[in-house]
Amino acid sequence: MGSWLGVLRVIFLSGWVVEHSVGPLGLGALVVKPVRHVVHVAELNDAESAALGPLLRRVAAAVTEVVRPEQVYVCLWSHADAVPGHLHFVVQPARKADMERFDAYGPALQMEMFREGAVPDETEVEALCRRLRPILVRSVASS
């Protein structure tokens, strides 16, 4: 996957970057992360804090428009090997089909997806990012 990480970048805005997740949370799972290294939410500066809420809303709206999930989960992941790491806000489409396949929802759905370990197809991720990018750019321009 390392060769296509640049394609995953959806948008860069106000100290934040939005990229498609490289993990097993499904097609359309995006990561919103600060550009600078931040380990704790309390370490965000005023500009990053002010941009975060509106950005998460825009990203969730774009995922909703493109993927049409049952719900969009937004959660914070910041651990690697039980040690706090770089902040990653995960914006994940929760599809009815995934909930039925895993017989789970919420955190249990995420755990089952991690357990299975399947990552989305590179071509599908690239195509989805091409659809998301202009929607996010428009939402930022109109704000």
Side-chain angles (χ1 to χ4, degrees):
M1 260 198 226
S3 64
W4 56 287
L5 282 176
V7 179
L8 300 179
R9 179 141 311 152
V10 177
I11 195 169
F12 170 83
L13 174 71
S14 301
W16 293 90
V17 64
V18 179
E19 297 176 337
H20 196 285
S21 170
V22 296
L25 293 176
L27 183 64
L30 302 180
V31 172
V32 178
K33 61 186 182 181
V35 172
R36 70 183 184 92
H37 182 65
V38 179
V39 177
H40 303 282
V41 173
E43 295 173 353
L44 294 172
N45 64 36
D46 289 344
E48 291 162 339
S49 295
L52 179 58
L55 180 58
L56 288 174
R57 181 186 53 78
R58 288 182 185 112
V59 172
V63 168
T64 298
E65 181 178 333
V66 173
V67 180
R68 300 285 184 203
E70 188 83 7
Q71 178 61 283
V72 176
Y73 297 156
V74 177
C75 58
L76 170 64
W77 291 93
S78 178
H79 275 88
D81 299 320
V83 176
H86 194 83
L87 290 182
H88 288 102
F89 290 90
V90 177
V91 180
Q92 178 193 12
R95 296 174 188 81
K96 187 80 165 168
D98 289 332
M99 289 184 277
E100 289 172 352
R101 181 165 58 100
F102 290 107
D103 191 28
Y105 55 90
L109 175 62
Q110 290 182 333
M111 288 173 49
E112 291 302 320
M113 294 177 94
F114 273 108
R115 213 171 268 124
E116 182 184 67
V119 295
D121 175 74
E122 175 181 335
T123 304
E124 291 176 353
V125 169
E126 290 173 6
L128 187 80
C129 289
R130 281 193 298 276
R131 292 178 61 203
L132 287 166
R133 206 170 285 115
I135 293 167
L136 285 167
V137 168
R138 273 195 312 273
S139 77
V140 169
S142 67
S143 63

